[in-house]
Amino acid sequence: MSDSVGTPSRAPGPAAGASATGSGLIRRRRRRWVRGTALGVGAVMLAAGGGLWALYAKLDGNITSDQAAAAELARYEKERPTALVKGAMNLLVIGSDSRAGDGNSRYGKDSGTERSDTTILLHLSAGRRSATAVSLPRDLMVDVPACLRRDGSRTEPMFAMFNYAFQTGGSACSIRTVEKLTGIRIDHHMVVDFDGFKEMVDAVDGVEICLKEPIRDKDAKLRLPAGKVTLDGEQALGYVRARKTLGDGSDTDRMNRQQRFLGALVHKVQSNDVLLNPVKLYPVLDAATSSLTTDPGLASLRGLYELVRGVRDIPTERVQFLTVPRESYVYNANRDQLVEPEAEKLFERLRTDTPVVIAGEVPRDSDEKGRTDADDGYSAYGPDDGKSDARRPEGPVAADSPAPTFSGTTADEDTCE
């Protein structure tokens, strides 16, 4: 049968490419699947990105920027020391005894003021080959400059205990006091409170220390056996703050205990790959950022990351802890004063990023500039005043080392030895 124009007729059927079993439908379905998959993957990536951004924003927003201190320090910029070595960094870490907030109120009534329970000057060498933490006693008698009070008034310059600076003028006053005392430019600072310290310890699943004797301290709520023990956050806070029933009851003994604990904390963080494991790192960052008040330069994840990145590869044997050379104050045995010229020798080495040596550590071969492989390590000795365990090194270290030596510890030391 032919159509009207003589063309052979065809049985009616579906058009080409529309067959239920044809390749055209398969291609269309494949295109739809690809588009759908791409949209799904895109949605997941956006959701993941949004989640990551939310986590970043949360951590970034946790940090309190110390704008008031920045403004106060800018006011006195002309009288502040000049940084002498490019790349070296000096960070002032202040432990506040504030009772403000739910986590801190259990330790006493909030009086509206806070003191520097612990202050550490942390020196990071250029190239980040070593870190040296120097404890500054809260009872050290120092010249405190005129500072801005929290109520807007100003104090008069005063010769007083070191923790008076933070109590009256906050972190800016502490920084200016330290700079006046040492001649060292403070590049950054951070303030952490009781609750933040506890959360940091809990975030790394506790810190192991070694006790030579059992601890029974009612005030600190500590009941610990002798030997190796892992402290949780609450126990760690009691351990580093206890004073009356541990050791000889002096602030010196407490600072030594704090240094040993911080060394164990550094060792724990480096040994279980916290800094390289996102699952482990997040709770640490959350705890740390939630408790920190820092200068604007550090008040962001980027700022903290740059700091952590620079120190994470420092070997634990080159993370050093010591106390500034000091002795009992001549007019009050319950106060401290610097031991000179040892203290100034220490400050000069920090200012110039010159290597210093922990007592008992023999300097290795020097390079052409006189720097040793024991880069930026030092230790301090002072007179045996009955209040300090500072001691002069014995044997060849004292005789052969051209640099002054200071008693201290490193994060690599085993507290059980």
Side-chain angles (χ1 to χ4, degrees):
M1 183 175 178
S2 301
D3 59 20
S4 58
V5 293
T7 304
S9 64
R10 296 177 182 176
S19 171
T21 59
S23 60
L25 181 57
I26 293 174
R27 286 194 298 270
R28 291 183 64 185
R29 286 181 174 175
R30 183 180 295 127
R31 286 195 295 269
R32 287 198 298 267
W33 181 86
V34 170
R35 285 198 300 268
T37 302
L39 289 173
V41 171
V44 170
M45 291 180 67
L46 285 173
L52 291 175
W53 174 253
L55 292 178
Y56 180 92
K58 178 182 183 298
L59 294 176
D60 201 56
N62 281 347
I63 309 169
T64 300
S65 179
D66 199 347
Q67 298 289 345
E72 180 72 354
L73 292 173
R75 176 189 177 100
Y76 292 96
E77 177 60 37
K78 290 183 179 180
E79 67 182 44
R80 298 183 64 195
T82 300
L84 300 181
V85 179
K86 183 179 180 180
M89 180 187 295
N90 296 296
L91 174 72
L92 196 67
V93 182
I94 302 171
S96 167
D97 71 352
S98 172
R99 268 62 172 182
D102 295 337
N104 299 314
S105 59
R106 72 177 66 181
Y107 304 106
K109 182 179 179 181
D110 181 13
S111 63
T113 63
E114 53 184 329
R115 292 169 296 182
S116 50
D117 203 52
T118 300
T119 303
I120 295 174
L121 173 58
L122 177 62
H123 174 77
L124 304 176
S125 69
R128 302 299 182 264
R129 290 174 292 179
S130 70
T132 304
V134 183
S135 294
L136 300 173
R138 64 181 188 178
D139 295 339
L140 186 68
M141 299 302 295
V142 297
D143 288 309
V144 179
C147 293
L148 179 67
R149 290 192 180 99
R150 290 171 175 81
D151 63 5
S153 62
R154 289 195 173 271
T155 65
E156 294 294 329
M158 183 178 296
F159 185 68
M161 291 191 303
F162 174 63
N163 69 349
Y164 170 81
F166 188 74
Q167 181 179 355
T168 58
S171 52
C173 193
S174 291
I175 291 169
R176 293 178 58 222
T177 300
V178 171
E179 290 183 339
K180 184 178 181 66
L181 179 72
T182 66
I184 297 170
R185 172 79 177 209
I186 303 300
D187 303 295
H188 298 288
H189 73 275
M190 58 176 60
V191 182
V192 60
D193 60 20
F194 292 158
D195 199 49
F197 175 83
K198 292 191 306 179
E199 290 183 4
M200 276 286 295
V201 174
D202 286 335
V204 297
D205 297 324
V207 175
E208 183 182 82
I209 62 168
C210 190
L211 302 175
K212 295 182 179 180
E213 299 177 352
I215 293 179
R216 302 289 186 271
D217 191 308
K218 183 178 180 181
D219 292 338
K221 297 181 175 60
L222 284 180
R223 190 178 181 86
L224 302 171
K228 289 188 176 181
V229 58
T230 298
L231 303 182
D232 62 22
E234 190 71 42
Q235 293 169 325
L237 180 64
Y239 177 74
V240 299
R241 294 194 68 238
R243 182 171 180 174
K244 296 179 180 179
T245 61
L246 295 186
D248 60 11
S250 69
D251 197 41
T252 297
D253 187 79
R254 184 170 70 161
M255 285 187 294
N256 291 338
R257 193 163 60 249
Q258 291 170 350
Q259 292 168 6
R260 290 193 297 271
F261 180 85
L262 290 175
L265 176 60
V266 170
H267 194 273
K268 174 66 177 289
V269 170
Q270 290 196 354
S271 64
N272 66 354
D273 296 326
V274 168
L275 297 179
L276 301 177
N277 187 330
V279 175
K280 294 181 180 180
L281 181 59
Y282 177 78
V284 176
L285 287 176
D286 190 34
T289 55
S290 296
S291 64
L292 287 181
T293 298
T294 76
D295 61 278
L298 286 183
S300 67
L301 279 186
R302 181 182 295 274
L304 289 179
Y305 172 74
E306 292 298 327
L307 175 64
V308 172
R309 186 179 67 172
V311 302
R312 68 185 179 189
D313 295 327
I314 297 177
T316 52
E317 65 269 18
R318 292 189 180 180
V319 179
Q320 305 167 322
F321 300 90
L322 65 150
T323 301
V324 64
R326 89 288 168 279
E327 61 188 354
S328 294
Y329 180 46
V330 63
Y331 297 113
N332 186 339
N334 293 320
R335 303 289 180 262
D336 290 325
Q337 65 184 25
L338 294 179
V339 172
E340 297 295 2
E342 284 78 7
E344 176 52 32
K345 290 179 181 178
L346 170 59
F347 300 150
E348 181 181 7
R349 301 187 84 79
L350 294 178
R351 285 194 298 268
T352 58
D353 198 32
T354 305
V356 285
V357 182
I358 292 289
E361 177 183 329
V362 179
R364 290 172 244 179
D365 293 338
S366 300
D367 61 21
E368 69 277 8
K369 295 181 181 180
R371 298 180 67 84
T372 70
D373 288 337
D375 178 53
D376 299 319
Y378 63 78
S379 54
Y381 59 80
D384 183 5
D385 55 14
K387 187 177 180 181
S388 168
D389 64 352
R391 57 193 181 278
R392 292 179 182 270
E394 298 177 353
V397 174
D400 300 338
S401 176
T405 56
F406 303 85
S407 68
T409 61
T410 72
D412 192 50
E413 293 186 18
D414 188 343
T415 56
C416 283
E417 292 182 351

